[in-house]
Amino acid sequence: MVNNTKKALKQINEVSRQLLSRILIVQKKTQENTTITNESKTGRSITDNELTELMSKRDSLIHCLFDQKTTSDVAQELTLLNEMVSLDNEISSISQACKKILAEQIIRIKKSKKVSKSYQKY
């Protein structure tokens, strides 16, 4: 039973690392672009689909683990559990940073649209 718990935690951590890697790629691309440009829709949707699939898979794995295993089973794999929590914190932190970058870019675009509209009046 513990072996299954260990296997489940390792799988969750692996999916978490994949998700973290994809989020870091998105963050890097977002930081490189000073303004949001019209990226090819296929490239962007592939990234969106990958992120969505990984988040969904991770979520279902975590739910299955805690629904099927007892607290004592999970507690025996404390190292892997701590790694899972650490990865979760890192994912949350980097996601918030990406959100902030995108929000700043959207604000800049809105301001530039307002300026161009005001010039068009004259």
Side-chain angles (χ1 to χ4, degrees), residues 59-73:
D59 185 56
S60 66
L61 287 171
I62 291 171
H63 280 289
C64 285
L65 174 70
F66 289 104
D67 287 344
Q68 295 175 359
K69 304 298 178 187
T70 64
T71 306
S72 61
D73 288 340

